[in-house]
Amino acid sequence: MLFCASCGIAGGDDIKLKKCTACHLVKYCSVKCQKEHGPKHKEECKKRAAELYDELLFQQPESSHRGDCPICCLPLPLDLQKSILMTCCSKYICKGCNHANKKREIEGKLQQKCQFCRKVSPKAEEEKNERLMKRIEANDPVAMCHLGGKKYIEGDFKSAFEYWSKAAALGDMQAHRQLSVLYHNGQGVEKDEKKELHHAEQAAIGGSPMARNNLGCMEWQNGRVDKAVQHFIIAAKLGDDRSLENVRDLYKVGQ
C-alpha cells in the first residue's frame, strides 16, 4: 500500500495519490502536502531528477531525427543535400527516389508530380514559395524549419530565429539544433550557454547526431571525457562521421 510522503495517509479508492512529477519517487494526497514536504524532499528530488534526465539524454535513439524516406522507407541521409523537400506536403524524399520518379515521368512522357502526395509539381520558384507558406500557415514545423534555414542563408538571423523557435515548439529536432547554433554564435540573439545547451540536448534526445556530437565536444572541453565518449558513440551509431573521428582521437591520446 502507498502512503502520502507528507501526512502518511494511505491511498485508496477515495484518496488518489499523485507522483512527484520531477523524481517519481514519492506520492502526495494534495498540493498542500506536497508544498509542506518540499523542503525535506528537495535534495533527494533534485538528485533523482538529474539521474532520470541523464538516463533519457544518454539513451540510444532507434533512428536519427530525419526519419525515413516515405517512398523507399530507407533512412534519410544525414546530409541535407542528399534529399529534397516537397513543398506541397513537407515530405523529405531521398534523391534516389526523386531521380527514379523523374526518370519514369520523362520516359513515359508523364506530368511531373510529387512522389508522395501526387500534386502537380510547381513550375516556378514563386509557386514553390507559395506552397511553403501555406504549409507554414497550417503550423507545419518542417516547413517552418526549412524557411528558417533559407532566412539564415540570406543573413536574416532574426527571422531564422523566429521560424526555428516556432518549429522547435512544435517538436522539430532540426530546429532545436539550429537554435543551439544561434545561441552559440550570438546570431539574431544574445549568446547564451544555458539555452545553447538546452536546445542541443533536446535535439540530441530527439535523434540529431550533429547536436549529439556538439554536446560531446562541449563535455570534452569541460574535462568530462566519460560523458563526451558516450555522446560520440551514440552519434557514431547514428552515422555521424565526425563523432567516429572524435572517438578515434580520444583513443589516440588515451582518454
Side-chain angles (χ1 to χ4, degrees):
M1 187 176 288
L2 297 172
F3 300 87
C4 173
S6 181
C7 67
I9 193 169
D13 293 336
D14 298 331
I15 299 171
K16 301 293 183 184
L17 301 179
K18 292 185 179 180
K19 281 183 181 179
C20 171
T21 55
C23 68
H24 300 171
L25 288 175
V26 296
K27 293 189 174 186
Y28 299 101
C29 64
S30 65
V31 175
K32 181 185 175 184
C33 276
Q34 187 173 10
K35 286 182 179 178
E36 288 177 354
H37 191 246
K40 294 180 182 177
H41 178 57
K42 187 177 179 181
E43 290 280 330
E44 184 186 26
C45 182
K46 192 175 179 181
K47 182 183 176 183
R48 182 54 184 156
E51 289 172 356
L52 287 173
Y53 187 74
D54 270 1
E55 286 176 18
L56 178 64
L57 181 61
F58 291 104
Q59 207 170 49
Q60 179 71 49
E62 291 182 7
S63 62
S64 83
H65 66 298
R66 301 222 61 212
D68 299 334
C69 170
I71 306 302
C72 64
C73 298
L74 292 174
L76 283 166
L78 298 179
D79 185 351
L80 295 175
Q81 301 300 316
K82 293 181 180 179
S83 60
I84 184 169
L85 178 70
M86 312 310 290
T87 54
C88 45
C89 55
S90 288
K91 294 293 182 184
Y92 275 101
I93 310 292
C94 73
K95 283 202 170 176
C97 287
N98 185 55
H99 174 76
N101 184 63
K102 282 187 175 180
K103 183 181 177 184
R104 179 185 64 85
E105 289 171 340
I106 292 168
E107 289 176 351
K109 297 180 180 179
L110 303 172
Q111 190 176 32
Q112 291 188 356
K113 292 182 179 180
C114 169
Q115 298 96 306
F116 184 78
C117 70
R118 309 310 297 162
K119 281 187 179 177
V120 177
S121 299
K123 293 179 180 179
E125 193 67 26
E126 188 179 343
E127 191 179 350
K128 274 187 182 180
N129 293 333
E130 285 176 5
R131 288 185 177 187
L132 186 66
M133 291 310 298
K134 280 184 181 179
R135 296 303 307 169
I136 289 171
E137 288 168 10
N139 282 333
D140 188 319
V142 176
M144 291 176 185
C145 186
H146 182 74
L147 187 55
K150 289 178 77 172
K151 294 295 181 184
Y152 182 85
I153 292 169
E154 292 168 3
D156 187 355
F157 301 130
K158 287 189 176 180
S159 293
F161 172 76
E162 289 175 10
Y163 283 115
W164 283 337
S165 295
K166 289 176 183 176
L170 291 168
D172 190 276
M173 295 304 119
Q174 180 67 15
H176 273 297
R177 177 184 171 265
Q178 296 302 100
L179 285 172
S180 175
V181 172
L182 289 183
Y183 280 115
H184 176 78
N185 295 332
Q187 295 169 312
V189 291
E190 289 185 12
K191 286 188 178 183
D192 192 316
E193 289 184 3
K194 285 185 178 180
K195 289 181 179 178
E196 176 194 352
L197 181 64
H198 166 73
H199 287 292
E201 287 180 343
Q202 290 304 303
I205 290 168
S208 170
M210 291 75 79
R212 179 78 63 179
N213 179 69
N214 290 346
L215 285 174
C217 292
M218 290 181 202
E219 295 290 10
W220 193 357
Q221 288 171 2
N222 291 326
R224 294 187 285 267
V225 180
D226 289 347
K227 286 191 173 184
V229 170
Q230 287 183 67
H231 282 305
F232 291 146
I233 289 174
I234 292 170
K237 285 181 178 180
L238 291 171
D240 187 66
D241 292 335
R242 290 174 304 171
S243 294
L244 190 59
E245 290 169 4
N246 286 332
V247 172
R248 180 199 62 194
D249 291 342
L250 283 167
Y251 273 114
K252 276 184 178 180
V253 296
Q255 289 184 310

